[in-house]
Amino acid sequence: MVTECSTNMAQSAASKLSQMGERTKQLVIQDPERQKRIILVIVCIALLLDNMLYMVIVPIIPDYLEGLQKSADHAQAAAAHTNSTNSTFHKVAKGNFDLQIGVLFASKAILQLLVNPLSGTFIDRVGYDIPLFIGLNVMFLSTLIFAFADNYATLFLARSMQGLGSAFADTSGIALIADKYTEETERSKALGIALAFISFGSLVAPPFGGVLYEFAGKRVPFLILACICFADGVLCLTVLKPFSNRERENMPVGTPIYKLMIDPYIAVVAGALTICNIPLAFLEPTIANWMEETMHSSQWEIGMTWFPAFFPHVLGVYLTVKLAAKYPHLQWFYGAIGMVFIGASSCTVPACKNFGQLMIPLCGICFGIAFVDTALLPTLGFLVDVRHVSVYGSVYAIADISYCVAYALGPVVAGQIVHDLGFVQLNLGMGLANVLYAPALLLLKNVTQMKPSFSERNMLLEDGPAGLYDTIKMEQREKKKKGLCTTIDENGIETFAQRSFSEEESSGGEYA
């Protein structure tokens, strides 16, 4: 009797769990709006983690590496018989200390820059969910390696692995948002939310890492980020089900990344994204020394340098989303205003005499970046919709490459420019580059007048666009038409095929 009762209880519990699972599945998967919100949460957490991990090492690693160097010096100084040979070596190592830190910081962006062309093509081939899950796993491993690393080589490995994970997670996450939010207003809003998380992660990470490193040690901030990354990976595996048995033979092949790169409209957007991020990427590794030399700033002021800029960045995202909803044909103008704002703010940085004055141009730079990013990232998705195949992996890989160019050059090149030319000349050059590039966005003035009806997607679909699913449906319908009787083939389909070919020639679209 006891055995039967326990068996019945286990069966009823299993039945209830199954029912709860089915209800959850219905709530999450069958309700498109709820599913889109959960996907947005997953992507935003991934972007937040990536940017926190990118910036959290700023107050930790230089001090930690210096401690390791001092320990090594004391240990080697104890060996009297190697004293004479080691003295020269230590001078070289100390002279190269700043270069080592710069290379360590830049290694993430450099590897991400190299992997992005491959990850964009991979995302277009297999969809968005598997690359996102892969990226989260690699980021989780890199965070754990950061936590337990005890030498420069291991830290370099962890930083490079983060770049590999970011190339998959960031690109597929942004592309997934663009695919799920097909209405331009919704897409701008969703991408704006994602950008706010990116900004928050970048700006809150240095004080977060500095405080925890000071009071709890090096491992704690990385272990906290690793736990959040693990939770986001579980959520991705549960909601998106990346390895479920789905048909992938009909997955369309997006326009090759090299064809997107030579599209003049996409090239203009990519150039703007690179140039507008150069001031932020070049100031991050140089402004601390400049503040110490000119303002005699304390460590807490240096640590809090960028945190106030988070609020104008969010304000810039909010204003751009609202303006884009009301005047969508002026996206190029919002980007141009942002670049002028960045240029003017960058030129005024060297004139600041104290910490309070410095906050104004730094907030202006972040405010302008918010305008540029929020206006131009949705524009990339729209350009793919109307000029190419509606698969977004490669085009947002190009956007990620644009960011990586700035952040790969910053830690390596900025210090040398300051040493050779000066901090004032660096800021004037960055400001001038932004102001001079702003008129190039006039090329995007007529982008919104391009008719989506001329794209390959809408030629084949009677329904409105709905992202990647519609592209798959489009190909299935094309195959179905080719299998109809020869009369229709000769009269109607031949004309359609010629039109599809001409569109494909002009836009570079391909199908599997």
Side-chain angles (χ1 to χ4, degrees), residues 32-33 35-36 39 128 175-184 186-187 251-252 381 385 389-392 452 455-474 477:
E33 290 300 320
Q35 186 191 36
K36 287 198 294 187
I39 288 172
Y128 310 114
L176 183 59
I177 291 175
D179 184 70
K180 293 295 179 182
Y181 292 86
T182 54
E183 291 292 330
E184 289 305 310
E186 282 189 341
R187 183 180 287 174
M251 285 291 294
D385 285 338
V389 182
S390 297
V391 182
Y392 306 98
S455 72
E456 295 168 12
R457 170 206 265 179
N458 282 2
M459 277 196 293
L460 291 169
L461 290 175
E462 293 85 22
D463 305 326
L468 183 58
Y469 170 75
D470 273 357
T471 315
I472 299 171
K473 188 177 173 185
M474 174 180 69
R477 195 171 297 184

Side-chain angles (χ1 to χ4, degrees), residues 247-252 460 471-485 489 493 496 511-512:
E247 294 184 5
R248 294 190 178 273
E249 64 272 12
N250 287 326
M251 285 291 294
L460 291 169
T471 315
I472 299 171
K473 188 177 173 185
M474 174 180 69
E475 182 168 359
Q476 290 174 343
R477 195 171 297 184
E478 184 183 14
K479 289 179 179 178
K480 199 172 181 181
K481 286 183 179 181
K482 287 180 179 179
L484 295 176
C485 62
D489 243 354
I493 301 300
F496 168 76
Y511 297 97

Side-chain angles (χ1 to χ4, degrees), residues 52 56 59-60 203-213 220-222 224-225:
M52 284 195 72
V56 76
I60 297 175
L203 300 176
V204 80
F208 166 82
V211 170
L212 287 178
Y213 174 65
V220 173
F222 295 109
I224 291 174
L225 294 178

Side-chain angles (χ1 to χ4, degrees), residues 103-123:
V103 171
L104 178 65
F105 283 7
S107 60
K108 185 255 187 190
I110 292 171
L111 190 66
Q112 192 172 345
L113 178 66
L114 296 174
V115 174
N116 261 317
L118 303 176
S119 67
T121 304
F122 179 73
I123 290 165

Side-chain angles (χ1 to χ4, degrees), residues 287 291 295 301 304-309 312 352 354-365:
I287 199 168
M291 289 174 67
M295 302 179 184
E301 288 178 328
M304 294 295 290
T305 301
W306 293 101
F307 183 71
C352 299
N354 55 58
F355 180 75
Q357 292 178 2
L358 183 62
M359 291 302 98
I360 298 173
L362 295 185
C363 288
I365 290 173

Side-chain angles (χ1 to χ4, degrees), residues 184-234:
E184 289 305 310
T185 304
E186 282 189 341
R187 183 180 287 174
S188 295
K189 185 178 180 180
L191 289 173
I193 293 171
L195 289 170
F197 273 82
I198 290 173
S199 171
F200 182 74
S202 298
L203 300 176
V204 80
F208 166 82
V211 170
L212 287 178
Y213 174 65
E214 181 73 24
F215 295 104
K218 178 180 79 77
R219 293 181 178 178
V220 173
F222 295 109
L223 290 176
I224 291 174
L225 294 178
C227 291
I228 299 172
C229 189
F230 180 78
D232 197 39
V234 171

